[in-house]
Amino acid sequence: FVGVDYSEFLSGIMYYPSTNGREFGGMEPKIVLGENCVGLFEINNELYAVTCYNSCTEAPTNVSLYRLIYPTKENGLKCYAEKITEIPDVNFANAATATDDGLIYVVTTEHFYSISTDGTVTNIDVPEEWMYLCKDSIVEVNRDIYVGTHCGILRYEPVMDKFTWFPADYENMIIK
């Protein structure tokens, strides 16, 4: 599976059937989902995708979590996406990451969510400044979640349900 974020040419999740460079069962590459791919994650030997609105489609879609199913002889060599859940009334996500304990964290303009693989969505309370931070990346390191912004890094500690702000030191970053 290959995930593609919005572009004028292609957006979505593609399945490319190959095994060590050989075609799998004579299958051709195919689009599995036509929504923007925010992230692909392997959790407990299963592949998951977080998607959001694709401006090339007619109807807006909510941010969604899918389980991606590989083709097998048991399922008739079909690959498909099984929708697990969606975040109501939220159609764009900036970034997403998965943790070792099976949670997926999703950053949006206004909110911060955790989604479990069983479909449970939790809206995490965020600092007042959240809306004004240009959030563009997220990563898990040692069980903490780091959200990259244009102004610095925001660390979320799930165990403490606590945010810590690390502002960028622009005085030392600017070339003089």
Side-chain angles (χ1 to χ4, degrees):
F1 288 97
V2 175
V4 182
D5 198 351
Y6 174 74
S7 78
E8 61 188 274
F9 303 107
L10 178 65
S11 184
I13 297 176
M14 300 282 297
Y15 177 72
Y16 288 92
S18 68
T19 308
N20 297 327
R22 298 185 316 267
E23 284 194 23
F24 181 76
M27 296 174 61
E28 295 291 324
K30 71 178 238 176
I31 295 177
V32 177
L33 280 171
E35 301 170 18
N36 280 359
C37 181
V38 179
L40 293 173
F41 310 103
E42 185 176 356
I43 301 171
N44 298 324
N45 295 319
E46 293 189 300
L47 191 59
Y48 294 88
V50 173
T51 64
C52 68
Y53 173 56
N54 175 350
S55 62
C56 295
T57 60
E58 293 180 23
T61 55
N62 290 328
V63 171
S64 300
L65 176 66
Y66 290 89
R67 180 179 297 111
L68 301 177
I69 310 299
Y70 286 98
T72 63
K73 291 178 183 175
E74 290 79 26
N75 71 12
L77 296 179
K78 295 179 185 170
C79 67
Y80 57 95
E82 174 183 85
K83 188 178 227 176
I84 296 172
T85 193
E86 64 182 36
I87 302 173
D89 302 319
V90 178
N91 61 19
F92 182 76
N94 300 62
T97 194
T99 63
D100 291 338
D101 57 0
L103 284 177
I104 297 171
Y105 287 89
V106 178
V107 173
T108 72
T109 304
E110 297 178 12
H111 301 282
F112 185 45
Y113 298 96
S114 70
I115 306 174
S116 65
T117 55
D118 70 2
T120 304
V121 177
T122 304
N123 187 356
I124 299 167
D125 290 330
V126 294
E128 286 180 36
E129 300 80 16
W130 182 270
M131 176 86 172
Y132 307 104
L133 298 172
C134 296
K135 301 160 291 293
D136 52 16
S137 62
I138 183 171
V139 66
E140 183 259 347
V141 177
N142 297 327
R143 300 205 183 277
D144 291 339
I145 308 299
Y146 292 83
V147 178
T149 76
H150 293 196
C151 303
I153 296 172
L154 196 58
R155 179 179 67 198
Y156 174 65
E157 299 171 74
V159 173
M160 304 290 289
D161 193 30
K162 174 185 167 191
F163 284 93
T164 306
W165 175 243
F166 300 96
D169 183 2
Y170 284 109
E171 284 185 26
N172 291 321
M173 292 174 62
I174 297 174
I175 298 173
K176 297 179 182 182

